[in-house]
Amino acid sequence: NKLLAAPFAFVGSIGVIMQTINFNKALERYGVNPIVLTAGDAKAPITTFGEITKADKEIEKATLTEIHNAFRDFVVRGRPSLSENIDTVGNGNIFFGKEAHSLNMVDATITSDEYLLERILAGDRVLKLRPLPRNRRSQSILSSFNANAFLSSQISKLLPRLFQAATCAQFFRHIKMKHTSIY
């Protein structure tokens, strides 16, 4: 088995990311007192509505570091030759194919056209690729996206409108009624 990459391919991104939206300060500006109850000091330190402290961030950072270390160990188990330079390649950076090859992340750099031609000249049977029918193409395209990145970008576009339309009216209603908390 060989791992191949085009010279212009992005390789790497061996890292961990956590993203969330926290409405605590926004809610407080409208007089809404969000209440978040948990049992256990480290249970859900960062939530959508609760206040976030420095200690909460430290707990999540420690968890992310554990996940990242497990991810890096998994990569090294699958590709033992990376054990010597995992600190270089396993820090979240991305590398173009040629640099990834020099760092031993891939076995060779070659474009797909070059690879197919190489296989044909070697006498291998190469099948023709056909595009998916239109109704299945959109499903395939969506599944090829990084779901988190795709959803995050869509949510960040829609959130201000949804927040303004759906919740501001409720906030103003509660303020007029002199409520300071929502239970």
Side-chain angles (χ1 to χ4, degrees):
N1 291 334
K2 283 187 175 180
L3 186 56
L4 308 175
F8 45 82
F10 285 156
V11 180
S13 188
I14 303 169
V16 179
I17 186 171
M18 176 192 147
Q19 296 179 13
T20 188
I21 298 172
N22 181 272
F23 293 106
N24 185 269
K25 301 267 188 255
L27 293 170
E28 286 178 357
R29 274 188 228 122
Y30 289 104
V32 177
N33 181 23
I35 297 171
V36 177
L37 304 173
T38 61
D41 293 343
K43 180 62 181 169
I46 295 181
T47 64
T48 306
F49 299 110
E51 185 177 346
I52 299 173
T53 66
K54 184 178 178 181
D56 294 334
K57 289 180 185 178
E58 289 171 2
I59 290 169
E60 286 295 351
K61 179 65 176 160
T63 301
L64 291 176
T65 299
E66 286 181 45
I67 295 167
H68 186 222
N69 288 336
F71 185 20
R72 289 164 38 125
D73 291 346
F74 178 78
V75 169
V76 169
R77 276 196 312 275
R79 195 160 181 84
S81 59
L82 289 179
S83 63
E84 292 181 20
N85 64 343
I86 192 65
D87 290 336
T88 303
V89 301
N91 64 1
N93 281 335
I94 54 170
F95 306 91
F96 285 105
K98 285 189 177 191
E99 187 177 7
H101 183 236
S102 70
L103 292 168
N104 206 24
M105 296 174 77
V106 298
D107 296 310
T109 53
I110 187 170
T111 66
S112 57
D113 287 343
E114 292 168 334
Y115 177 75
L116 290 173
L117 180 59
E118 186 180 282
R119 299 314 323 147
I120 290 169
L121 294 175
D124 292 344
R125 181 176 173 204
V126 176
L127 303 175
K128 180 180 178 180
L129 300 176
R130 296 181 309 156
L132 288 172
R134 266 203 184 279
N135 60 345
R136 290 188 51 214
R137 190 177 306 160
S138 61
Q139 284 180 331
S140 176
I141 290 170
L142 283 177
S143 67
S144 68
F145 279 116
N146 174 335
N148 288 335
F150 177 73
L151 290 174
S152 293
S153 70
Q154 296 306 309
I155 288 171
S156 66
K157 290 177 189 175
L158 293 174
L159 195 58
R161 283 183 262 160
L162 290 173
F163 182 77
Q164 188 175 26
T167 58
C168 283
Q170 293 172 359
F171 293 153
F172 287 119
R173 230 180 293 129
H174 285 285
I175 290 170
K176 285 180 187 176
M177 295 169 61
K178 306 239 187 275
H179 284 281
T180 58
S181 299
I182 295 180
Y183 294 96

